[in-house]
Amino acid sequence: IQFLNNLIERGWRGKFIFSSSAAVYPDSGKMSSEADNPGPCNPYGTTKLMNEHTLRDFFAAYDISVMCFRYFNVAGAWGDVGDHLNAEHVIQKMCRAAKYEYPFHLFNDKANTPDGTCVRDYLHVRDVCDAHIHAIDYLNDNKGFFTYNLGTSRGTSIKQLIASFITTTGQNLHFESSPPRYGDPDYLVADGHLFVSDTGYTYNHSDLNNIISTAWEYYNIKGVNNGF
């Protein structure tokens, strides 16, 4: 709020793109659509939703254009740009486990999903970058307040992700079951069609093999360069 007030006080009336999160949605067991009523499962999602409400109010009061992107699981890498090496995101944890023969902890193998593990929607970081550039062009031609999911509409369970990681990298991955984590929904997959249909955007890089292979390559390059 203070940041936005500072902008408004200085005469800014531009365009604002906000990085929100799929964490604003409840654990419904179905694909999450922008038309669904929000219901955050954890404090992180609550703060994202609060910011969306704030931006909607500023849009109404000051006639600025806003696009809120609800990211699903961003992963992968692009050349020498990627996640930090000790990130707690699942694919980075798999890279660490494979590289140093650590056990990979599989949180919750009794989820209400077909194979008992959590299901997520993974999209490549380059598609996220491209979507922001696409959003800037869209906001230049369309004034308003917009909320869009960024996700592929494809669900992948953790067990499926482990199998794909082993196949794609050729690495062994030992995993151990661990208790569920608080606020971790069983199923969180985007209905990602609205952004595509409204703006003509296409996801070009979010094939699961590409996500895993680029993350693994990045981890090995950065790990060597940083002494990991």
Side-chain angles (χ1 to χ4, degrees):
I1 291 171
Q2 188 61 56
F3 177 66
L4 287 165
N5 281 336
N6 287 340
L7 289 174
I8 296 300
E9 287 171 7
R10 284 155 179 78
W12 174 83
R13 297 295 187 274
K15 304 166 185 67
F16 200 103
I17 300 175
F18 176 62
S19 299
S20 190
S21 169
V24 304
Y25 292 116
D27 189 359
S28 64
K30 64 179 182 64
M31 287 199 301
S32 298
S33 163
E34 295 89 346
D36 295 342
N37 290 324
C41 297
N42 52 51
Y44 174 74
T46 300
T47 63
K48 289 294 190 181
L49 189 58
M50 289 169 62
N51 279 303
E52 288 189 20
H53 290 326
T54 298
L55 284 162
R56 185 181 289 276
D57 290 341
F58 271 79
F59 159 72
Y62 299 107
D63 200 31
I64 63 173
S65 286
V66 177
M67 188 173 292
C68 296
F69 276 137
R70 293 173 175 173
Y71 299 168
F72 282 68
N73 284 56
V74 184
W78 187 4
D80 62 350
V81 178
D83 216 341
H84 52 93
L85 297 178
N86 60 347
E88 287 300 300
H89 301 148
V90 64
I91 295 179
Q92 284 296 81
K93 291 170 75 172
M94 288 183 178
C95 289
R96 259 199 318 277
K99 183 75 173 176
Y100 302 107
E101 299 182 357
Y102 297 153
F104 171 76
H105 290 279
L106 195 164
F107 294 100
N108 192 3
D109 59 1
K110 296 179 175 59
N112 186 25
T113 59
D115 67 12
T117 62
C118 295
V119 174
R120 296 290 184 268
D121 187 338
Y122 298 94
L123 68 155
H124 196 279
V125 64
R126 185 169 178 182
D127 276 332
V128 176
C129 296
D130 290 347
H132 281 71
I133 296 169
H134 199 74
I136 293 168
D137 292 337
Y138 187 77
L139 289 174
N140 282 335
D141 298 327
N142 299 272
K143 194 172 187 63
F145 181 93
F146 306 94
T147 303
Y148 291 117
N149 289 337
L150 278 189
T152 66
S153 306
R154 296 191 301 269
T156 302
S157 75
I158 300 299
K159 283 185 177 177
Q160 290 172 327
L161 189 65
I162 290 171
S164 293
F165 184 90
I166 292 170
T167 300
T168 300
T169 65
Q171 302 295 308
N172 188 31
L173 191 65
H174 171 65
F175 63 92
E176 298 176 354
S177 295
S178 297
R181 298 179 298 184
Y182 170 75
D184 221 1
D186 290 351
Y187 186 93
L188 200 57
V189 176
D191 180 341
H193 296 100
L194 187 62
F195 184 57
V196 172
S197 62
D198 280 3
T199 73
Y201 183 71
T202 55
Y203 293 94
N204 294 315
H205 307 283
S206 290
D207 174 80
L208 192 58
N209 289 335
N210 185 49
I211 290 173
I212 292 170
S213 62
T214 56
W216 178 243
E217 180 182 5
Y218 166 82
Y219 191 90
N220 281 278
I221 291 171
K222 299 298 282 190
V224 169
N225 290 344
N226 289 278
F228 284 83

